[in-house]
């Protein structure tokens, strides 16, 4: 049957039209680089464009069709790059990181009937470093530049603790969401030993801190972009492991008395 005329149904969100639950809401707080990078075109021809995006990643895309970009370069190659980016774009100043309608949003979410989280893409102790260094470079750095990896994760842990703490002075949330994308469809990209060395201490630090703050539950989620089961050797200091589209159902179950 043709779509009803008049545009009334089409102009509604499908979730509202069918009465679906609002789902898992993420606070729109900037928890990553800020100020953002300026978009800069590096090279362009009739078919492709090479540019630096707002996160500082250099990529190549096709003009005619939407496609997955070809990632070419990243903002951090060494300690000097990291120190510069950290000083300029990863300082825990809340100014500019909150949405413009923050006061209105605070009032709206006080009476909410849906779960709310902070964090998300690209906040994580693997996912964020992918955006800083590139995935292959990060995996090599675990062996070639471990001090740099620890320095980045150490700062990110303190940075997120500071940002989350400032937000939690105004609102209550249900979960902190770590975005990692650290898997293929069949396995993890890193070993249990690397997980325990380069990620676990920082998960523990952030989780322990926010659990003492203004949260309705001390719940952390980790998205790892995989259909694979979590190996028992990956012991995560959180209430739940979250995989892809199952996030909301797992959270809902975890929050139900």
């Amino acid at each position: 049957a043709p779509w009803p005329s008049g545009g009334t149904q089409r102009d509604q969100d499908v979730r509202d039209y069918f009465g679906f639950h609002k789902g898992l809401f993420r606070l729109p707080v900037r928890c990553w680089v800020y100020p953002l990078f300026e978009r800069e075109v590096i090279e362009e021809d009739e078919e492709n464009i090479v540019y630096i995006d707002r996160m500082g990643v250099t990529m190549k895309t096709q003009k005619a069709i939407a496609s997955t970009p070809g990632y070419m370069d990243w903002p951090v190659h060494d300690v000097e790059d990291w120190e510069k980016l950290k000083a300029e774009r990863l300082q825990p100043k809340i100014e500019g990181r909150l949405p413009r309608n923050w006061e209105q949003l605070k009032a709206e979410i006080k009476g909410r009937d849906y779960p709310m989280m902070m964090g998300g893409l690209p906040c994580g102790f693997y996912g964020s470093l992918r955006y800083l260094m590139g995935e292959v470079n990060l995996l090599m750095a675990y062996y070639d530049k471990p001090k740099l990896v620890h320095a980045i994760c150490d700062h990110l842990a303190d940075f997120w603790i500071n940002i989350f703490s400032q937000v939690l002075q105004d609102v209550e949330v249900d979960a902190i969401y770590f975005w990692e994308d650290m898997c293929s469809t069949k396995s993890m990209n890193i070993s249990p030993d690397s997980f325990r060395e380069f990620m676990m201490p920082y998960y523990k630090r952030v989780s322990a801190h926010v659990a003492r703050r203004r949260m309705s539950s001390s719940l952390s989620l980790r998205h790892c972009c995989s259909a694979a089961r979590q190996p028992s050797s990956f012991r995560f200091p959180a209430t739940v492991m979250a995989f892809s589209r199952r996030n909301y159902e797992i959270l809902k179950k975890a929050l139900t008395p």
Side-chain angles (χ1 to χ4, degrees):
W3 190 266
S5 61
T8 53
Q9 288 89 349
R10 182 164 48 188
D11 292 340
Q12 294 185 46
D13 186 288
V14 64
R15 182 175 56 198
D16 298 331
Y17 181 76
F18 288 106
F20 293 161
H21 193 280
K22 186 177 179 65
L24 181 59
F25 179 76
R26 182 171 70 90
L27 269 178
V29 175
R30 296 182 187 273
C31 298
W32 189 228
V33 295
Y34 185 81
L36 298 173
F37 287 81
E38 290 294 328
R39 189 180 187 275
E40 179 182 354
V41 176
I42 305 299
E43 182 181 331
E44 185 174 3
D45 58 30
E46 294 182 357
E47 296 182 353
N48 304 299
I49 182 170
V50 178
Y51 65 96
I52 300 175
D53 76 352
R54 303 304 301 277
M55 292 191 186
V57 179
T58 303
M59 58 182 67
K60 181 178 182 178
T61 59
Q62 299 181 60
K63 287 184 173 182
I65 60 173
S67 61
T68 301
Y71 297 98
M72 303 175 68
D73 198 11
W74 293 266
V76 173
H77 305 88
D78 50 34
V79 174
E80 289 74 19
D81 288 341
W82 163 241
E83 291 296 334
K84 184 176 186 297
L85 186 143
K86 178 178 69 173
E88 295 178 353
R89 304 178 192 275
L90 281 172
Q91 293 303 306
K93 298 177 181 178
I94 202 66
E95 293 79 12
R97 295 184 174 277
L98 299 175
R100 294 180 180 179
N101 66 335
W102 181 239
E103 294 302 320
Q104 175 186 345
L105 185 59
K106 285 195 301 182
E108 291 176 357
I109 62 181
K110 281 185 177 179
R112 62 190 169 86
D113 61 351
Y114 50 87
M116 187 170 63
M117 67 178 182
M118 278 195 298
L121 191 154
C123 298
F125 296 107
Y126 180 95
S128 290
L129 277 73
R130 282 181 54 187
Y131 275 87
L132 292 175
M133 308 173 73
E135 189 155 36
V136 173
N137 295 332
L138 170 59
L139 296 174
M140 295 294 290
Y142 284 144
Y143 300 93
D144 298 338
K145 302 175 182 177
K147 290 183 179 180
L148 176 59
V149 176
H150 277 298
I152 294 174
C153 290
D154 184 70
H155 177 79
L156 289 179
D158 289 341
F159 169 76
W160 285 322
I161 286 172
N162 201 314
I163 293 293
F164 294 161
S165 296
Q166 293 178 74
V167 174
L168 289 170
Q169 292 176 8
D170 291 340
V171 298
E172 182 180 278
V173 302
D174 302 296
I176 299 298
Y177 183 22
F178 296 107
W179 179 90
E180 300 299 0
D181 267 22
M182 53 184 289
C183 300
S184 68
T185 57
K186 296 182 179 180
S187 65
M188 308 291 272
N189 291 348
I190 65 174
S191 70
D193 286 345
S194 294
F195 183 92
R196 284 190 289 266
E197 178 181 353
F198 293 102
M199 299 175 69
M200 183 70 76
Y202 309 106
Y203 279 140
K204 286 183 176 180
R205 191 193 305 175
V206 176
S207 296
H209 183 85
V210 297
R212 297 192 296 266
R213 305 295 295 184
R214 192 178 179 183
M215 294 182 65
S216 60
S217 67
S218 56
L219 179 65
S220 296
L221 299 177
R222 180 168 68 85
H223 166 77
C224 64
C225 198
S226 173
R229 293 181 178 272
Q230 177 205 7
S232 60
S233 52
F234 286 83
R235 300 189 181 278
F236 183 65
T239 309
V240 61
M241 297 293 296
F243 294 91
S244 192
R245 297 180 182 178
R246 298 174 56 209
N247 284 347
Y248 172 65
E249 290 302 324
I250 295 175
L251 176 60
K252 181 179 177 182
K253 182 178 180 180
L255 294 179
T256 301

